[in-house]
Amino acid sequence: MLSPEFSVEENFTGSKTGIERRCWIQSAISHSPQTLLLFLDAELYIARVQSPVVVQRLQQQKQIAPALSVYVSNKDAAARHFDYACDPQYATFIAEELVPWVLQQHPTIDPAQIVLIGLSLSGLAAADIARRYPDRFRKVICQSPSFWWENERFCSMISPKPPHAPDYWICVGDEETQCGVTHAPSG
């Protein structure tokens, strides 16, 4: 198996929000991907989860459609805790600024085939961003999302399922049974 390569690594700055984040873009195995996999927490997904290798293998085995993968940096620990704790500005940055930029660069991607992916605190962010922008994100993957944040406040923010709500895939380890969890700096 070939080692995955990133076709682009650059800083992207939102024109409305002024938020700047480094993005790594992994090309699809075909020249005309129709799906976008948008990973929050790039540093964790690239280095620890090794998602680029997994995504490439899944495409080669035809278990997923050819997909462009975009990995968005968490910048640093402070920004990670601020952005990923249901920040509306960060949601605007992702949904209204970053995604349109990616779609403009890759016109074969079907805007209805965008998958937003996060883990832990970025899993909370992915769920929140999709809640705010259900027409932008049709599928969301939340791996061990930090729904504990602010005494499970996210649960109170969810309304009954609207007709066009995204599909969520949430996975949590069977040993994640604690209540009242807190983590610095977000508490």
Side-chain angles (χ1 to χ4, degrees):
M1 178 185 313
L2 296 173
S3 172
E5 295 184 16
F6 295 104
S7 57
V8 175
E9 178 181 337
E10 66 177 76
N11 287 329
F12 175 80
T13 304
S15 59
K16 294 179 194 174
T17 61
I19 295 173
E20 180 181 343
R21 294 293 179 269
R22 183 167 264 338
C23 296
W24 292 267
I25 300 177
Q26 177 186 6
S27 298
I29 62 169
S30 86
H31 295 292
S32 340
Q34 293 187 344
T35 302
L36 169 61
L37 304 177
L38 184 57
F39 291 86
L40 305 178
D41 254 341
E43 292 81 357
L44 292 174
Y45 273 108
I46 292 170
R48 291 171 67 189
V49 179
Q50 299 186 354
S51 291
V53 173
V54 172
V55 167
Q56 182 178 17
R57 184 181 66 236
L58 291 172
Q59 289 180 78
Q60 289 170 336
Q61 295 172 348
K62 298 187 184 334
Q63 292 183 17
I64 63 171
L68 180 79
S69 298
V70 175
Y71 298 84
V72 183
S73 174
N74 60 34
K75 188 178 178 183
D76 57 37
R80 182 177 189 271
H81 279 262
F82 185 79
D83 293 344
Y84 296 165
C86 300
D87 180 56
Q89 281 286 97
Y90 187 74
T92 298
F93 169 71
I94 294 295
E96 295 182 26
E97 298 175 325
L98 182 67
V99 168
W101 173 75
V102 171
L103 294 177
Q104 181 181 16
Q105 303 297 315
H106 302 277
T108 62
I109 294 174
D110 179 351
Q113 296 300 319
I114 300 173
V115 182
L116 185 58
I117 306 164
L119 62 90
S120 191
L121 200 55
S122 66
L124 170 66
D128 180 62
I129 294 167
R131 176 187 68 82
R132 292 174 190 272
Y133 293 93
D135 292 333
R136 172 67 74 191
F137 303 101
R138 300 303 303 138
K139 295 180 182 359
V140 185
I141 297 173
C142 302
Q143 298 176 290
S144 295
S146 296
F147 291 152
W148 53 262
W149 169 74
E150 288 192 0
N151 293 317
E152 301 176 4
R153 184 175 123 196
F154 181 73
C155 294
S156 68
M157 297 163 53
I158 300 170
S159 59
K161 185 176 179 176
H164 300 291
D167 293 328
Y168 289 87
W169 185 81
I170 300 172
C171 71
V172 179
D174 60 6
E175 293 184 22
E176 296 184 59
T177 59
Q178 292 178 311
C179 294
V181 176
T182 63
H183 293 286
S186 60

